[in-house]
């Protein structure tokens, strides 16, 4: 029995990790294309747009995360009610695309010219590019998370594959044939997001073993409307709002160093080189995030509570694996940097990137050891309390650390601050286990 269980979850783990790997590899290749083709100054404008967009994601709540909490309960209600709930979450998510375009137009007019680009039009397209890179998974999130929780991971892989191939090939085509055309890069991200939404919804409704036999129209009568509103209201008020706020804080922290480098007007080339180190170090988190996501799926489908001591033991092993991966990446970095540079950066600049990369990577290794405990508290603990005690406190402290590092210390100290910020998170997470 135990062997069968391990074999089953090993298979699920393979497909889940493959989905994350496809996402990260495609993102890495798209980033490599941008790094190789665009100048550091232009690349820095795109990454600065991402940093400025990060706090705006506060407005983009993701109620579909409630599926992790309520999947088993909704399954017992029957497929028809499940589908009504899922559609409500889906339509809410699709509305984020319209909202992103509207906000991009507003903030493109408000930000000063030197912040992101030389014209309002240029700034508008950089924000569209940054927004849709960030919200594309959210726009298809309800269907993607249903496929994940129902363990239809092959279908999920197809969704990710086609969405990322659209993004990658479109980015490659634009940068090769229309270099510098940020408007076309923005169009590619929008197209990839729409394609992902339609494909994920099609897999769920037409091919899912759980829901394909359900015969229910798309028209909203009174009972469907009431159930849809109830689903969204419960998700937002009691669960998803706190998960969303935690996610916004966490995502902003990952770009907060870059945000303050732009805020204090560091030289564009220096910021561009730093953003390259940040992007490269970010790819190292693909494995721990994939494993953590599989852990969340397991917890979401498990009726029994897990022993926190066991979770800490698992966390140690995840930390060890991430540390070993980090050492390997540091050893391979000189080879990577030559591929990215292809003669455009001086030896001194490559040394700077390597130093920054090591500091950021070290912070990521420490951060990975908090993933399992954080997932357990979110799904089976008090998610509201965890937000206030850990994520909000971590965000405020990180704000002070990065701002102080940028203002008083310069770009090297900002890179070193990544280690301190991760250590603060580790302290807060494990302190919360004792209260």
């Amino acid at each position: 029995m135990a062997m069968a269980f391990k074999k089953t979850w090993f298979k699920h783990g393979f497909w889940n990790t493959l989905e994350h790997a496809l996402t990260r590899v495609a993102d890495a290749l798209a980033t490599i294309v941008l790094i190789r083709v665009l100048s550091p100054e232009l690349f820095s404008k795109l990454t600065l747009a991402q940093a400025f967009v990060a706090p705006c994601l506060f407005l983009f709540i993701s109620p579909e995360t409630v599926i992790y909490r309520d999947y088993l309960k909704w399954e017992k209600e029957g497929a028809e009610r499940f589908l009504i709930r899922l559609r409500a979450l889906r339509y809410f998510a699709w509305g984020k695309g319209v909202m992103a375009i509207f906000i991009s137009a507003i903030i493109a007019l408000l930000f000063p010219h030197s912040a992101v680009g030389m014209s309002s039009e240029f700034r508008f397209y950089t924000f569209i590019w940054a927004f849709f890179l960030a919200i594309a998974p959210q726009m298809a999130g309800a269907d993607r998370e249903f496929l994940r929780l129902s363990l239809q991971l092959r279908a999920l892989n197809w969704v990710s594959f086609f969405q990322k191939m659209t993004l990658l090939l479109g980015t490659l085509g634009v940068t090769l044939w229309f270099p510098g055309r940020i408007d076309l890069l923005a169009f590619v991200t929008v197209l990839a997001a729409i394609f992902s939404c339609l494909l994920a919804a099609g897999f769920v409704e037409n091919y899912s073993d759980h829901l394909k036999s359900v015969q229910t129209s798309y028209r909203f009568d009174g009972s469907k409307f009431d159930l849809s509103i109830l689903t969204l209201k419960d998700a937002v008020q009691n669960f998803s709002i706190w998960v969303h706020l935690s996610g916004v804080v966490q995502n902003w922290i990952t770009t907060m160093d870059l945000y303050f480098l732009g805020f204090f007007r560091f030289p564009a080339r220096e910021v561009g080189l730093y953003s390259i180190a940040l992007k490269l170090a970010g790819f190292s988190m693909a494995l721990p995030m994939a494993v953590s996501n599989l852990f969340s799926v397991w917890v979401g489908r498990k009726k029994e509570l897990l022993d926190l001591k066991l979770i800490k033991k698992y966390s140690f092993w995840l930390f060890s694996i991430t540390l070993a991966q980090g050492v390997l990446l540091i050893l391979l970095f000189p080879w990577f940097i030559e591929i990215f540079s292809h003669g455009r950066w001086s030896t001194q600049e490559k040394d700077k990137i390597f130093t920054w990369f090591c500091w950021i990577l070290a912070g990521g290794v420490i951060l990975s050891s908090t993933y399992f405990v954080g997932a357990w508290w979110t799904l089976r603990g008090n998610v509201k309390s965890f937000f206030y005690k850990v994520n909000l406190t971590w965000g405020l402290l990180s704000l002070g650390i990065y701002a102080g590092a940028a203002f008083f210390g310069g770009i090297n100290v900002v890179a070193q601050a990544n280690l301190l910020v991760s250590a603060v998170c580790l302290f807060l997470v494990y302190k919360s286990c004792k209260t």
Side-chain angles (χ1 to χ4, degrees):
M1 188 71 175
M3 287 295 293
F5 172 80
K6 290 180 180 180
K7 183 178 180 180
T8 298
W9 277 97
F10 179 81
K11 181 182 72 173
H12 297 326
F14 169 78
W15 288 111
N16 190 69
T17 303
L18 179 62
E19 191 266 335
H20 280 269
L22 283 172
T23 299
R24 288 291 178 167
V25 169
D27 288 342
L29 292 175
T31 301
I32 290 171
V33 169
L34 293 174
I35 291 173
R36 286 181 64 90
V37 175
L38 302 180
S39 66
E41 291 83 358
L42 184 55
F43 183 73
S44 72
K45 291 172 182 176
L46 291 177
T47 54
L48 280 172
Q50 288 181 298
F52 281 105
V53 158
C56 296
L57 296 177
F58 172 82
L59 302 172
F60 291 76
I61 189 170
S62 299
E64 66 270 10
T65 54
V66 78
I67 296 177
Y68 281 85
R69 186 195 69 178
D70 291 340
Y71 178 82
L72 294 176
K73 183 176 72 174
W74 290 358
E75 197 175 45
K76 293 178 181 178
E77 294 179 354
E80 184 172 1
R81 287 176 62 85
F82 202 135
L83 184 56
I84 294 171
R85 291 182 183 275
L86 190 61
R87 284 178 178 173
L89 297 171
R90 178 190 299 159
Y91 299 149
F92 185 96
W94 287 0
K96 295 179 182 181
V98 178
M99 187 177 177
I101 295 173
F102 176 76
I103 295 177
S104 296
I106 297 299
I107 60 179
L109 296 173
L110 296 180
F111 274 101
H113 287 253
S114 59
V116 181
M118 296 183 63
S119 68
S120 295
E121 182 182 9
F122 181 89
R123 293 196 300 274
F124 172 72
Y125 288 122
T126 59
F127 284 124
I128 288 289
W129 177 84
F131 259 121
F132 276 84
L133 278 183
I135 69 170
Q138 296 181 23
M139 290 176 63
D143 296 301
R144 289 173 58 88
E145 299 313 322
F146 170 79
L147 292 173
R148 197 185 306 276
L149 265 293
S150 61
L151 301 179
Q152 299 179 73
L153 299 173
R154 293 191 184 189
L156 180 61
N157 270 272
W158 281 114
V159 173
S160 297
F161 176 77
F162 284 113
Q163 189 260 335
K164 289 302 180 181
M165 284 303 103
T166 302
L167 180 63
L168 175 60
L169 295 178
T171 300
L172 182 62
V174 170
T175 52
L176 290 180
W177 293 313
F178 306 97
R181 289 288 301 274
I182 305 301
D183 56 334
L184 295 182
L185 282 178
F187 174 76
V188 166
T189 61
V190 173
L191 183 65
I194 293 174
F195 187 63
S196 176
C197 289
L198 297 177
L199 189 61
F203 269 117
V204 168
E205 300 219 3
N206 299 319
Y207 301 102
S208 170
D209 293 335
H210 291 65
L211 302 179
K212 66 181 179 181
S213 61
V214 178
Q215 300 296 323
T216 182
S217 69
Y218 285 88
R219 294 184 60 185
F220 276 98
D221 56 27
S223 61
K224 289 181 183 177
F225 181 79
D226 291 342
L227 182 58
S228 298
I229 296 299
L230 178 64
T231 300
L232 293 173
K233 183 178 179 180
D234 175 63
V236 171
Q237 288 185 344
N238 300 324
F239 183 77
S240 296
I241 182 65
W242 305 111
V243 176
H244 169 71
L245 293 175
S246 296
V248 170
V249 171
Q250 292 168 12
N251 288 334
W252 192 25
I253 290 172
T254 61
T255 58
M256 198 178 282
D257 48 353
L258 198 61
Y259 175 86
F260 281 110
L261 292 179
F263 182 83
F264 289 115
R265 308 291 176 82
F266 279 76
R269 186 171 182 86
E270 287 282 290
V271 175
L273 295 173
Y274 183 89
S275 64
I276 291 169
L278 186 64
K279 286 285 187 182
L280 296 178
F283 296 140
S284 68
M285 303 309 293
L287 178 60
M289 290 181 68
V291 176
S292 175
N293 182 262
L294 181 65
F295 177 79
S296 295
V297 173
W298 182 48
V299 173
R301 294 178 59 91
K302 191 175 180 62
K303 299 178 182 179
E304 302 84 4
L305 290 176
L306 296 173
D307 185 356
L308 191 55
K309 291 182 179 180
L310 184 63
I311 296 172
K312 291 180 180 180
K313 178 181 178 182
Y314 293 158
S315 298
F316 172 76
W317 285 110
L318 180 61
F319 166 79
S320 301
I321 293 171
T322 309
L323 178 61
Q325 176 192 247
V327 172
L328 179 62
L329 289 175
I330 289 175
L331 294 175
L332 294 175
F333 191 84
W335 180 69
F336 288 144
I337 202 66
E338 289 302 324
I339 295 176
F340 299 138
S341 173
H342 60 94
R344 294 182 302 158
W345 307 328
S346 67
T347 301
Q348 184 181 15
E349 288 177 329
K350 286 187 284 189
D351 289 341
K352 286 182 179 180
I353 294 174
F354 176 69
T355 301
W356 298 333
F357 172 83
C358 290
W359 282 111
I360 299 169
L361 184 67
V365 171
I366 293 176
L367 201 60
S368 69
S369 62
T370 68
Y371 286 173
F372 284 176
V373 179
W376 181 85
W377 269 106
T378 298
L379 297 177
R380 293 293 179 259
N382 188 328
V383 63
K384 180 179 178 180
S385 175
F386 188 77
F387 167 73
Y388 282 114
K389 290 182 178 179
V390 177
N391 288 294
L392 182 59
T393 305
W394 182 37
L396 294 174
L397 291 174
S398 299
L399 197 68
I401 291 170
Y402 280 127
F407 185 77
F408 294 107
I411 197 165
N412 289 328
V413 179
V414 169
Q416 296 167 10
N418 283 274
L419 193 63
L420 177 58
V421 166
S422 296
V424 168
C425 180
L426 180 67
F427 171 77
L428 293 173
V429 167
Y430 283 91
K431 182 184 177 183
S432 70
C433 298
K434 299 178 181 179
T435 58

